[in-house]
Amino acid sequence: MRFALPITSTALALVLGACTSTPMMSPMKVDNAALPEAVRVPAGETQKLWTTTDAGQITYECREKKDMAGQYEWVFVGPAAKLKDASGKDVGSYFGPPATWVSNDGSRVTAKQVAVAPNTGTPGSIPLQLVKADPATGAGAMQGVSYIQRLKTVGGVAPATPCADGNKGEKKIVTYAADYVFYGK
């Protein structure tokens, strides 16, 4: 005999939210050897800091393709996200361009992309990424950061809605989640 239990949309949202955010909220030690080679940090780098974002946003804009008159595509404009530590405490923010991570202690670092690798574990997600950091400004958590990895991505890909002359210039915001792992010597 089967029993049906009523589930409210609020209860379902809480259960699903717990399922998607719990793995990202636990501290991790990255096994670089298990990652795609393109996004591994160079030898000699040490993991310094790990943060997560579970409700980041990426803005895309419908634009005409470069050197392809009359053809359009969704173009990445920039991210905006709050960074959290393993306990879920807000510890900083991430935005761009340029790609910038700011700690609540006032230190900040910008970085440029070195490589990406597809996220084969979660279809429809932005790629894994490795960036090379510029020297940090301000004293604090970002001092000495030389590389940053974006791992465990969920969502964030360009909108599936059509991009054409009729909506040229339209901006769409999509949500994403990711872990950011910071390295230094």
Side-chain angles (χ1 to χ4, degrees), residues 46-100:
T46 302
Q47 186 174 329
K48 294 178 55 130
L49 178 66
W50 168 81
T51 65
T52 189
T53 182
D54 58 2
Q57 299 180 331
I58 298 176
T59 301
Y60 290 91
E61 183 177 351
C62 180
R63 296 182 186 166
E64 194 165 18
K65 290 183 178 181
K66 183 176 172 58
D67 301 325
M68 299 182 86
Q71 294 187 26
Y72 298 86
E73 65 185 340
W74 289 105
V75 176
F76 173 85
V77 174
K82 293 288 185 187
L83 301 174
K84 299 175 188 236
D85 67 10
S87 70
K89 179 182 170 195
D90 187 6
V91 294
S93 60
Y94 168 60
F95 57 88
T100 304

Side-chain angles (χ1 to χ4, degrees), residues 29-49:
K29 179 72 174 157
V30 175
D31 177 6
N32 272 280
L35 295 174
E37 189 172 347
V39 297
R40 293 179 192 163
V41 294
E45 296 291 325
T46 302
Q47 186 174 329
K48 294 178 55 130
L49 178 66

Side-chain angles (χ1 to χ4, degrees), residues 45 48 95 97-102 107-114 130-138 140-148 182-185:
E45 296 291 325
K48 294 178 55 130
F95 57 88
T100 304
W101 291 261
V102 179
S107 61
R108 70 175 45 219
V109 66
T110 59
K112 293 175 186 68
Q113 180 174 286
V114 173
L130 177 66
V131 299
K132 172 86 171 109
D134 297 321
T137 58
M142 298 300 171
Q143 281 295 315
V145 169
S146 51
Y147 287 91
I148 304 165
F182 300 78
Y183 294 84
K185 295 223 183 236

Side-chain angles (χ1 to χ4, degrees), residues 9 19 23 42-43 61 73 81 88 104 111 114 117 123 127 148 161 168 175:
S9 59
C19 291
E61 183 177 351
E73 65 185 340
N104 286 349
V114 173
I148 304 165
T161 57
K168 180 179 172 183
T175 59

